[in-house]
Structure formats: structure tokens, C-alpha cells
Amino acid sequence: MARAKRRLVVVSNRGPFRMQIVGGRKRPVRAAGGLVAALDPVLRARGGVWVSTGDGDLPKDLRIDGARLPYEIAQVKLTRSVAEGYYEGVSNAMLWPIMHSMAATVRMTGPAFEDYATANRAFCEAVLASSKDSDLIWVQDFHLMLLPAMLRAERRRAHIGWFCHIPWPGSDIFRVLPWREAILQGLLGADLIGFHTEGYAQNFLRCVNDLVPAVHVDFSRMQIRHGRRTVRVVVAPIGVPLDAIQTLAADPRVSAEVERIQQWVNNRRIILGVDRLDYTKGIEQRLLAFEQLLRSDRAARNRYVMVQIMVPSRTDVKAYADLKTRIDQRVGDINGRYASAGRIPIQYFYRNLPPPQLYAHYRAADVALVTPLRDGMNLVALEYVACRMQGGGVLVLSEFAGAAEYLEGALRVNPYDVHDMATTLKAALAMTADEQEPRMHRLRAEVHKLDVHRWADGYIAQLER
Ligand code: ADQ
């Protein structure tokens, strides 16, 4: 008889649902983003619990789309001051820039690390209360790097995994963190540690080797001997829910929306940018590259339009508010300089678009310009390719996105080199259908291999071993 599957406990800072007022009534709304799209179906299929921060306002018998949610939700409630230190002070102001190799952006605030530890401890208690010894515990991302060791101290034999959704920097940058060893010791409580690329995994092994005493790191087998335990490190690139995206992107309502977008831009060819508003995403550099194209080629002003869609993010953090101001000014400046009657060069949205509208933009775009200065993977690049079912379209991709390791069919750019980006953009726009087709064909095969369900199932199977 087949052994029953172990129950799965997913732990992440943000959870899959939150209460929101819709049409005057408070209702549970599914959170956007790749993580929820990846792990919600897995939990639905095998049952389990999702532990995340929240106000405790989700009803016990949560109903989604008319049916009872087949897994549990546990919410960790943090005090306002702990939440601030943990989320703003450490996660956003320190860990995010360091992990993206932007050490100069770090703002160090001493006591915030205590809040980070307190928040991780609160998660630990919630996980212990809602799980049992035999469960698989899968901790997500940089908000919860102390949690694996906290759990290990209580559950010696548990199967604990941790996945890093963002890059892992070189040891020379990681060591800028004052509590670097505490973080690494925290992670070494896990059995299985996953990264998007081989480069991040090797950087992590190097950090452990350089900064943690009394461990043995085997770089080629990607294992760490830590006391009596062995920690395995794996390369597990995340993907997108391919079938779901393709089904929705093919919907006749999405096709109608594609036509509407094309009319709205006067049938100019579309260069698309889609990002969470973040200084790692290279949005300003991208705008400069487009400006260079407009400046160098008069005809470009009538032929092309850039559509930039940004979802607001971390809006109460100063670095993000400042970036928003700079982007607004840059867009205004370019539009002021190069607009002519009925033709605005940059169409700019600052809001979350629902998937049908987002996918219509992917379908309508001749070129997707994905230019992060540094990015763990970048799902936008994969979503663009997933929506190009008719073939054609060009993906211009930063060499500093994890996705660049897997998408050979993209045109590569260095986002710090604005001239290189402008030249590559021009080349992308000049590509004939015959040149685009084989590249997109190759990209589609590459994105197919990165299906998100395969990512989740593969990781869980390794954690179960
Ligand atoms: P993010 O930094 O959030 O994720 P990304 O991978 O690009 O970056 O995912 C963004 C998601 O938000 C995409 O699914 C995209 O469709 C959506 N999105 C962006 N703008 C939107 C808008 N205006 N309206 C609606 N949706 C929008 C982190 C890491 C990444 C890593 C993922 C997954 O930083 O490197 O790929 O986790 O591991």
C-alpha cells in the first residue's frame, strides 16, 4: 500500500488570501503573485496549512469561489513595532539591498534585528501549534531566515526546507550584514535549501564556508556537514502556471482587449515594461534607453509606444516613494519632449492589473523589455513568453535576472549600459517575423521546462526524501 503523503506546512511572510472590501462588503481576496499561484494548488491537492502574517480576520471556514478551502490558514499577528522592525527595518531596508548586491542602499538600524528575531519566533510558535512531527515544513524567502533553526531546536526529526526567491550575493557583499553568522546558522536548521540558479547556490555555499565556523562544505556535491546533520543545497528555478496562463490568454475577452489596446495606441508597435515598483527592476534605465531611441531616430516617435505598467509596492518606504517621484518626472519629461498630436510616447499605469488585462498587454506587445539590475528569477519574462501562443514577439532580457540563465532565446542586455539597451531595443524592433519565430519557439520550449507545478512538486519530493 502506498504510504500516505506527509502533510505540507507552507510558511511565508504574506499569505494566499486577505480580507478586502469589494462592492461594499468585506471578502477574502486571493493575493497576486507567483508564490500563491505555485503553492495554492499544491496545498489544495494534498491538504495542509499555510502560515503567514495577518490580522486573524480570515474566517475559520474560509470559502473561496463558493467552495470551502481544502487547507487551513494560520495567521501570525505581530505588534506594530515588531512588524515595523522585522519588515521595514530588516527585510526591506537591509536584507533586500544586500541580497541584490546593492550594499550602498542599505540603511542599518540597530535594534531592528531583535524585531526580526521576535517575528521569526512568532512564526515558529505558530508553525509548532499548527503542525506535527511528521509534517513537511517549507519556509519561503528572506523574511524568515532564522526560522529553520528555531524549528529544528523544537523538532529534531522534522523535514524542513527553505527557498530563496531572490538572489544570493557573493560572500564579500553578504558579510556587510552585522548578524551574518546568525542568519546563516538560522538557515542551516533546514534539510534542503533551494535557489533559482547555480550561481546563487554556489555563493551561499561560499558564505557558509567563509563565515560559519566548524562546518564542512562540499561545493561539488552541494552539501554542508553541520554537526551531525547534512544540509542539502539544490538549484530549483521557479516557473509560471503555464496551462492556466495559456487558457486565460486565449480567452475571447482577452483577444478583444488586445484589439482595444492596439487601437488605443493608434496601431503603433508596443514596447512593454511590467514591474513591481522597485529600484532593483531597472525602470529608470529602461526609460533612458527608450528616450535614446526617440532622440536618435525621428521616425521612432510615430512608430513606437512604450507601455509601462507598475504595481505599487512598499509605498510607505522612503526609497520607494523617491523612486516613484523620479520615474514620474522622467516619464513626464520624455512625454513633454517627444509627444505629438494624438501620440504620447510613454503610456504609464501605476496600478495592479487583473490577469486578463495583463495578459492582453503581453499579447499586444511586440517587445517585452525586462531590465532588472538584479533579480532572483523574474516571472514577467516567463509570463510574456507563456502568452505568445501565436509565436512572434521579442524578449529583451537583462543578463542580471536569474531567468537569463534559462532563456537563451532572449536578446541579452546589460541594464547599466543604456546605450547597449537602446541599440538592442532598436535591433529587436527591426527583427522580421522570420527572425522572431525561431527565437520565440525556443523561448517557449524553455519556459515549458520551468512550469511552476513541476517546481513545487520537484522541491517537495526532494524534501520528503
Ligand atoms: P518579484 O520581485 O515580485 O518576485 P517577479 O518575479 O517579476 O518579481 O514577479 C512579479 C509578479 O507581479 C509577476 O507575476 C507579475 O505578473 C506581477 N505584476 C507585476 N506588475 C503587475 C501589475 N501592474 N499588475 C498586475 N500584476 C503585476 C520575487 C523575486 C523574483 C522571483 C519571484 C518568484 O524578486 O526574482 O522571480 O519572487 O520567486
Side-chain angles (χ1 to χ4, degrees):
M1 200 176 77
R3 209 150 44 94
K5 282 187 171 168
R6 290 171 190 271
R7 190 162 161 272
L8 179 64
V9 182
V10 170
V11 196
S12 63
N13 175 54
R14 290 256 160 83
F17 301 99
R18 61 194 150 77
M19 296 304 281
Q20 202 176 307
I21 299 192
V22 185
R25 270 188 52 202
K26 217 172 178 194
R27 291 167 202 250
V29 174
R30 181 196 295 264
L35 189 67
V36 172
L39 294 174
D40 174 72
V42 181
L43 273 174
R44 280 173 186 266
R46 64 188 290 155
V49 53
W50 193 317
V51 182
S52 63
T53 52
D55 291 335
D57 56 352
L58 285 172
K60 268 259 164 286
D61 61 335
L62 188 58
R63 299 184 75 80
I64 303 293
D65 302 331
R68 193 165 177 274
L69 190 69
Y71 60 88
E72 292 164 46
I73 299 269
Q75 292 195 309
V76 180
K77 200 168 174 182
L78 303 173
T79 65
R80 186 186 284 248
S81 104
V82 166
E84 222 171 88
Y86 149 76
Y87 186 65
E88 311 293 355
V90 174
S91 302
N92 289 346
M94 297 176 78
L95 292 173
W96 181 262
I98 290 282
M99 304 300 269
H100 287 83
S101 302
M102 295 183 172
T105 318
V106 173
R107 278 185 300 111
M108 298 257 182
T109 43
F113 192 65
E114 287 163 29
D115 295 327
Y116 185 82
T118 305
N120 273 249
R121 168 70 50 206
F123 269 92
C124 180
E125 276 152 25
V127 171
L128 293 174
S130 44
S131 65
K132 50 187 191 310
D133 281 4
S134 57
D135 293 348
L136 298 178
I137 304 174
W138 190 5
V139 182
Q140 310 290 326
D141 230 0
F142 64 104
H143 309 91
L144 301 171
M145 296 206 272
L146 301 178
L147 180 57
M150 289 174 174
L151 289 167
R152 178 67 59 202
E154 306 290 332
R155 294 258 170 93
R156 221 161 44 84
R157 300 168 62 84
H159 292 236
I160 303 171
W162 181 77
F163 192 83
C164 186
H165 288 268
I166 61 178
W168 192 282
S171 119
D172 52 341
I173 292 177
F174 186 76
R175 66 195 316 143
V176 169
L177 288 174
W179 8 265
R180 59 211 185 187
E181 194 193 325
I183 294 233
L184 293 169
Q185 294 280 12
L187 291 176
L188 292 179
D191 300 293
L192 187 72
I193 297 187
F195 296 94
H196 290 307
T197 73
E198 172 82 28
Y200 306 157
Q202 291 295 333
N203 282 349
F204 173 74
L205 291 167
R206 173 60 58 199
C207 286
V208 173
N209 186 74
D210 294 354
L211 302 169
V212 182
V215 287
H216 177 259
V217 177
D218 183 333
F219 286 88
S220 57
R221 295 177 70 197
M222 302 221 290
Q223 289 188 348
I224 300 159
R225 193 78 197 148
H226 184 238
R228 299 164 72 129
R229 299 177 40 250
T230 299
V231 180
R232 288 175 291 146
V233 173
V234 292
V235 178
I238 200 170
V240 289
L242 204 59
D243 286 343
I245 292 181
Q246 299 198 139
T247 305
L248 182 54
D251 190 288
R253 282 168 302 171
V254 172
S255 305
E257 180 70 11
V258 173
E259 277 180 32
R260 197 195 61 75
I261 294 167
Q262 278 159 344
Q263 281 171 13
W264 171 67
V265 298
N266 290 325
N267 293 313
R268 283 174 292 169
R269 299 182 65 208
I270 297 174
I271 301 157
L272 180 68
V274 175
D275 312 80
R276 209 166 41 68
L277 174 68
D278 196 291
Y279 54 81
T280 59
K281 301 288 183 188
I283 302 167
E284 292 179 280
Q285 288 78 356
R286 183 184 314 159
L287 293 171
L288 288 172
F290 183 56
E291 181 182 23
Q292 188 161 322
L293 177 74
L294 296 177
R295 201 179 330 123
S296 65
D297 177 4
R298 276 198 83 80
R301 300 175 197 179
N302 292 327
R303 273 194 212 141
Y304 311 128
V305 57
M306 181 166 189
V307 178
Q308 175 63 50
I309 305 171
M310 288 192 322
V311 64
S313 138
R314 307 177 191 171
T315 40
D316 35 11
V317 179
K318 185 169 181 309
Y320 289 76
D322 292 348
L323 174 66
K324 166 80 171 42
T325 307
R326 290 201 302 277
I327 291 173
D328 287 353
Q329 283 168 350
R330 177 74 60 196
V331 169
D333 184 50
I334 296 174
N335 281 345
R337 247 176 239 267
Y338 299 102
S340 56
R343 287 197 162 80
I344 310 275
I346 302 175
Q347 299 285 354
Y348 167 51
F349 299 88
Y350 180 57
R351 57 173 181 266
N352 206 335
L353 290 193
Q357 271 191 43
L358 183 63
Y359 297 174
H361 282 87
Y362 288 138
R363 278 188 51 191
D366 296 276
V367 175
L369 200 47
V370 181
T371 59
L373 304 174
R374 192 105 179 118
D375 212 335
M377 187 70 179
N378 192 295
L379 299 178
V380 169
L382 309 184
E383 290 165 5
Y384 176 67
V385 173
C387 288
R388 307 298 304 180
M389 290 161 300
Q390 275 82 8
V394 184
L395 174 64
V396 177
L397 180 60
S398 161
E399 59 182 296
F400 305 123
E405 299 277 318
Y406 302 97
L407 303 183
E408 302 264 329
L411 296 184
R412 291 284 173 96
V413 286
N414 174 350
Y416 290 91
D417 182 348
V418 169
H419 181 70
D420 170 48
M421 268 200 290
T423 311
T424 307
L425 178 57
K426 204 165 176 176
L429 290 161
M431 280 171 87
T432 61
D434 284 351
E435 288 167 322
Q436 293 179 22
E437 291 292 339
R439 275 186 177 272
M440 188 47 75
H441 187 75
R442 180 170 187 181
L443 279 170
R444 289 184 60 76
E446 288 163 345
V447 167
H448 201 82
K449 286 193 210 140
L450 292 171
D451 187 90
V452 75
H453 303 303
R454 202 177 299 172
W455 168 78
D457 292 346
Y459 192 93
I460 290 166
Q462 297 210 56
L463 186 56
E464 204 148 24
R465 270 208 273 134

